Amino acid sequence: EKYANLYEFAPVGYLALDRNGVVNSVNLRGASIVGVVRSQLLGQRFGQLVASEYRHVFADFICNVFTNRENKTCEMALQNKGNSPPIYILLYATTACLGQECGVTLIDITDRKRAEDKISAYQDQLRSMASEISFVEERERHKIAISLHDQIGQTLAMASFKLGELRQAAAPWNLDGQVDAIREMITNAIQHSRTLTFELSPPILYE
């Protein structure tokens, strides 16, 4: 009676399946997890309770258990009932000594799978936000690069040109050295602004 109670009221499901995946025995928790009355579950193929996209997984699982006679584990979802969310289960199976039946431990991992899905969705959201931030940053960098090129760069170029005209016009006052020094500073500023423009938004990368 003690061991019968341990089996019946265990916190995990226990099943005995034959080579065809037919349920020979099941405890109360196992019937509760799959949502089928125990009397109806006995003699039924367990694969029929599995979600269609996982049935080949279950078939391979049972085949490997009996072929290799090794302990096997796998995760799968049960078939939906109405609009209810799917139930995910973990199966741990081992063959009996005669090899005609396997004992299966059935654990409900729905909460864990839902938590994993939430984490995955959150990670996807973070990746999307990071991509959007990167896009906005690159767009702003491109605006700054255009401003450097179209406004500051051209203004400096025009100033350098005007200084060249001033140098020729102011020759009698001997301002050549000062004008040349200013033009050199402006030329360096133009080169620096072009370098910044390229570093902020390389034309090839932007295209």
Side-chain angles (χ1 to χ4, degrees), residues 88-102:
Y88 291 92
I89 57 174
L90 170 68
L91 299 181
Y92 176 87
T94 182
T95 53
C97 57
L98 297 178
Q100 299 302 314
E101 190 176 71
C102 71

Side-chain angles (χ1 to χ4, degrees), residues 33-34 49 51 53 76-89 108 110-111 113-114 117:
I33 291 175
V34 300
L49 304 173
E53 62 269 27
M76 62 189 67
L78 296 176
Q79 196 168 14
N80 283 358
K81 295 182 179 180
N83 295 324
S84 60
I87 295 174
Y88 291 92
I89 57 174
D108 186 347
T110 304
D111 291 341
K113 293 292 289 186
R114 289 175 182 171
D117 291 341

Side-chain angles (χ1 to χ4, degrees), residues 13-199:
Y14 291 123
L15 300 142
L17 305 179
D18 67 11
R19 287 179 170 272
N20 297 316
V22 174
V23 180
N24 291 335
S25 65
V26 59
N27 69 345
L28 292 175
R29 179 57 180 160
S32 173
I33 291 175
V34 300
V36 179
V37 178
R38 179 157 59 173
S39 60
Q40 298 177 0
L41 190 57
L42 296 175
Q44 183 177 347
R45 288 179 180 268
F46 189 82
Q48 295 176 348
L49 304 173
V50 176
S52 57
E53 62 269 27
Y54 287 96
R55 287 182 181 174
H56 70 284
V57 176
F58 176 74
D60 292 341
F61 172 71
I62 289 295
C63 181
N64 287 331
V65 170
F66 284 103
T67 301
N68 300 324
R69 303 197 67 174
E70 296 177 352
N71 298 339
K72 298 290 182 180
T73 60
C74 85
E75 295 180 4
M76 62 189 67
L78 296 176
Q79 196 168 14
N80 283 358
K81 295 182 179 180
N83 295 324
S84 60
I87 295 174
Y88 291 92
I89 57 174
L90 170 68
L91 299 181
Y92 176 87
T94 182
T95 53
C97 57
L98 297 178
Q100 299 302 314
E101 190 176 71
C102 71
V104 179
T105 302
L106 186 154
I107 302 173
D108 186 347
I109 59 170
T110 304
D111 291 341
R112 191 198 81 189
K113 293 292 289 186
R114 289 175 182 171
E116 290 175 352
D117 291 341
K118 286 182 180 179
I119 292 173
S120 178
Y122 181 65
Q123 289 174 336
D124 290 341
Q125 184 180 5
L126 285 178
R127 280 191 289 267
S128 178
M129 290 173 62
S131 178
E132 181 65 22
I133 290 171
S134 177
F135 175 75
V136 172
E137 179 185 0
E138 185 58 38
R139 185 173 58 193
E140 293 305 312
R141 287 162 65 94
H142 185 65
K143 287 182 180 179
I144 295 172
I146 291 176
S147 178
L148 275 172
H149 178 270
D150 294 348
Q151 296 180 18
I152 298 175
Q154 291 185 9
T155 300
L156 288 171
M158 182 58 67
S160 179
F161 176 75
K162 291 294 184 181
L163 278 174
E165 292 181 339
L166 177 62
R167 183 178 185 280
Q168 294 178 354
W173 288 274
N174 194 23
L175 299 176
D176 293 358
Q178 296 179 16
V179 171
D180 288 343
I182 295 172
R183 289 189 69 186
E184 183 178 356
M185 287 188 291
I186 292 177
T187 300
N188 290 337
I190 292 172
Q191 185 61 42
H192 185 59
S193 69
R194 288 175 179 171
T195 301
L196 283 176
T197 299
F198 183 82
E199 290 178 351

